[in-house]
Amino acid sequence: MPEYGYFLSCEQYGPAELIEQARMAEQAGFQALWISDHYHPWNDEQGQSPFVWSVIGALSEAVSLPVETAVTCPTVRMHPAVVAQAAATSAVMTDNRFRLGVGSGEALNEHILGDHWPPAHVRLDMLEEAIQVMRRLFTGEEVNHHGPHYTVENARLYTVPDEPIPIDISGFGPAATQLASRVGDGYITVMPDETMVEQYRKGGGGGKLVSGGTKVCYDTDRDEAVRTVHRLWANEQLPGELGQVLPSPKHFEQAQQLVTEDMVRENRVCGDDVDEHVAELKQFADAGFDRVYVNQIGPDLRGFFDFYRTKVLPQLQQAV
């Protein structure tokens, strides 16, 4: 049976709210935490974007749950040597309950310093080199590296955990999934796609951790839930590579005008039907995922956590 975790959204909530949600998640019986790593929200309605590493520091004191970034891009906005230091400190503060989830990123967050936004295949090459650099730094030894994308000179991390930090790689297509299976300690995706899980495991992932995540909107009024999702997260219904190449929240807001409430209703669990919530998460279990994370979009967080504690999680545990 998969473990079920809660997905903290840095795009939608400030630091204090995220910490309180983590506490409620632990009390409700969730077993792990994901937390997004963004410089911008996807649109101005979401309205937040705290620095994830500060929040993780607070989480280490507030809860005892494992924490993972979902996901950090260690290639453009932040040099991998800096990400390595942040991740190592997070692992120490959480007593080795931290995993570093990484991906090739989005222009929305990564182009802010004026750097060129590379095509996908170059971003994957950068990601692989960044992972090599970070793993060497995690040993606590001095690192000198002169690669095609990064230079590191006389760098040493003095605060490192006792155990290696697992690096899980996000993949939504065959090339990224192949990279994850070849060099990752785990695989991350947000689609309950059994084919991609099989590609990961057969390509070298074996029995390593496969994690997935989804968003729902619990509300006793289904129509109001649909309106909430449409207002806050219509960007998730945009097709193709738009999510990776649009450069600002304003551009996402323009593109979101193409998304209708009916599209949200058809593609996102909204309301308080227990069977629909169970079925949404069970898709991941059936596809072979080891951990499944869920995020509550709507404002009724207390209702969501009570609903999952008393109705959804118990049914998922019985569905084995």
Side-chain angles (χ1 to χ4, degrees):
M1 184 180 68
E3 293 181 339
Y4 292 96
Y6 187 71
F7 190 175
L8 298 166
S9 172
C10 284
E11 303 95 314
Q12 193 177 341
Y13 297 100
E17 294 171 300
L18 293 168
I19 301 306
E20 181 58 26
Q21 287 178 35
R23 290 194 182 101
M24 289 193 288
E26 186 167 36
Q27 293 166 3
F30 287 98
Q31 297 166 286
L33 296 171
W34 260 3
I35 185 166
S36 56
D37 181 358
H38 270 240
Y39 194 88
H40 292 139
W42 296 98
N43 54 60
D44 284 356
E45 279 289 332
Q46 292 173 359
Q48 293 288 338
S49 197
F51 190 53
V52 70
W53 304 105
S54 300
V55 180
I56 290 171
L59 289 172
S60 72
E61 295 294 316
V63 297
S64 62
L65 298 177
V67 181
E68 177 166 19
T69 53
V71 293
T72 292
C73 178
T75 58
V76 179
R77 169 172 50 103
M78 289 182 68
H79 192 283
V82 178
V83 175
Q85 185 183 28
T89 300
S90 297
V92 170
M93 293 186 72
T94 58
D95 294 326
N96 296 311
R97 289 179 285 106
F98 176 76
R99 299 180 75 94
L100 177 61
V102 299
S104 60
E106 305 93 14
L108 174 72
N109 301 303
E110 304 304 323
H111 86 294
I112 59 168
L113 303 179
D115 298 284
H116 169 66
W117 184 237
H121 71 280
V122 175
R123 301 202 306 271
L124 289 177
D125 287 343
M126 295 171 70
L127 181 60
E128 182 169 2
E129 185 179 343
I131 291 169
Q132 294 170 355
V133 168
M134 292 189 294
R135 283 200 172 122
R136 290 179 62 191
L137 286 164
F138 290 155
T139 65
E141 300 175 357
E142 183 176 299
V143 173
N144 290 280
H145 173 88
H146 297 276
H149 302 292
Y150 303 106
T151 297
V152 179
E153 293 185 351
N154 307 118
R156 178 184 172 190
L157 297 181
Y158 282 80
T159 301
V160 293
D162 298 331
E163 301 174 6
I165 300 170
I167 301 178
D168 300 338
I169 300 176
S170 173
F172 304 124
T177 303
Q178 192 276 332
L179 176 64
S181 64
R182 184 163 51 83
V183 305
D185 297 307
Y187 175 51
I188 291 173
T189 188
V190 294
M191 300 174 291
D193 189 330
E194 184 177 2
T195 302
M196 301 300 286
V197 174
E198 289 180 357
Q199 180 192 338
Y200 170 74
R201 296 205 184 280
K202 291 179 179 178
K208 295 178 182 177
L209 185 71
V210 174
S211 302
T214 187
K215 295 181 184 295
V216 301
C217 187
Y218 167 82
D219 196 304
T220 55
D221 184 332
R222 177 179 172 82
D223 290 336
E224 180 61 25
V226 169
R227 288 190 290 270
T228 297
V229 176
H230 185 259
R231 177 173 59 85
L232 291 169
W233 286 92
N235 59 283
E236 290 203 322
Q237 306 304 321
L238 296 175
E241 293 186 63
L242 288 177
Q244 282 71 53
V245 300
L246 293 179
S248 76
K250 292 298 183 186
H251 289 93
F252 277 94
E253 289 165 8
Q254 293 167 11
Q256 285 168 198
Q257 296 178 46
L258 302 173
V259 178
T260 66
E261 289 188 4
D262 285 341
M263 292 168 66
V264 169
R265 187 175 283 105
E266 292 170 7
N267 291 286
R268 188 58 62 206
V269 172
C270 296
D272 61 351
D273 186 309
V274 178
D275 292 339
E276 288 186 9
H277 285 262
V278 169
E280 173 71 10
L281 273 64
K282 193 172 181 297
Q283 289 182 87
F284 290 89
D286 293 343
F289 284 72
D290 302 303
R291 282 185 181 171
V292 186
Y293 296 82
V294 60
N295 169 260
Q296 160 68 353
I297 291 176
D300 188 1
L301 289 157
R302 182 74 54 190
F304 166 85
F305 284 115
D306 286 345
F307 178 65
Y308 267 68
R309 176 180 58 83
T310 60
K311 297 182 178 180
V312 178
L313 293 178
Q315 281 204 30
L316 288 168
Q317 291 161 0
Q318 296 169 7
V320 181

